[in-house]
Amino acid sequence: MSSDQDEDSQSQHHTQTAERDRSIRCLVSKVGLDGHDRGAHVISRAFRDAGFEVIYSGLHKAPDEIVQAAVQEDVDVLGISILSGAHDTLVPKIMDGLEEYGAREDTLVLVGGVIPDEDRPELEDEGVAAIFGPGTSIEETIEFVRENAPER
């Protein structure tokens, strides 16, 4: 085998390994006037500890700001933490924004917070992949992301 072939083989192996080991990019966001961010911080740290690349939006973000961050950061996963009860208006605005930028199909959208059972089907119809309420184990959430994050 020539040295050029060795280099090509090593380069190809390195590329395949890098793709397999590429971390999952996650945006953890707080939308609207909801100021309770303990859960968002907990999940952000847990995702980081699981090897995910995590971006935290900070508090009081408008739906459009979250969409812009998700698109600009090219995230695989968008986690929306919401406890204010405004999920039925704010989440659809985020989903519409992702659709507008062509990012809805390749972004796994999760919602965390207190979401009444009767509101869940509407959010799922909007394209939310999963809703995690209080008491959901961190391990369950991490496993869901690993199994469902889109491959790029």
Side-chain angles (χ1 to χ4, degrees):
M1 191 186 284
S2 73
S3 66
D4 285 343
Q5 287 174 326
D6 283 343
E7 287 177 21
D8 287 345
S9 177
Q10 288 173 348
S11 175
Q12 184 178 27
H13 174 72
H14 177 66
T15 301
Q16 289 170 345
T17 302
E19 286 174 5
R20 187 179 64 242
D21 293 343
R22 178 188 68 81
S23 65
I24 297 170
R25 291 176 58 87
C26 304
L27 172 62
V28 176
S29 62
K30 291 295 296 182
V31 64
L33 299 177
D34 180 4
H36 298 89
D37 64 348
R38 182 176 179 274
H41 284 278
V42 168
I43 201 70
S44 292
R45 282 190 298 276
F47 279 5
R48 181 201 62 207
D49 292 348
F52 303 164
E53 184 178 344
V54 180
I55 302 145
Y56 175 60
S57 72
L59 288 170
H60 310 300
K61 298 301 177 195
D64 188 55
E65 290 175 299
I66 292 170
V67 169
Q68 289 295 319
V71 170
Q72 289 171 11
E73 295 290 347
D74 193 28
V75 297
D76 304 303
V77 179
L78 171 57
I80 304 166
S81 173
I82 188 162
L83 297 168
S84 67
H87 52 271
D88 54 344
T89 55
L90 296 174
V91 172
K93 288 180 182 180
I94 293 170
M95 300 306 291
D96 289 346
L98 291 173
E99 180 71 33
E100 185 179 318
Y101 283 94
R104 186 169 171 169
E105 293 300 317
D106 61 353
T107 304
L108 182 71
V109 178
L110 313 174
V111 172
V114 180
I115 310 296
D117 288 342
E118 61 268 18
D119 292 349
R120 290 172 179 245
E122 182 182 333
L123 295 177
E124 291 164 351
D125 289 348
E126 285 285 340
V128 172
I131 300 166
F132 298 101
T136 302
S137 77
I138 296 293
E139 293 78 18
E140 179 184 339
T141 307
I142 290 168
E143 189 62 31
F144 184 87
V145 169
R146 283 194 174 127
E147 291 177 2
N148 294 284
E151 293 186 20
R152 302 220 180 189

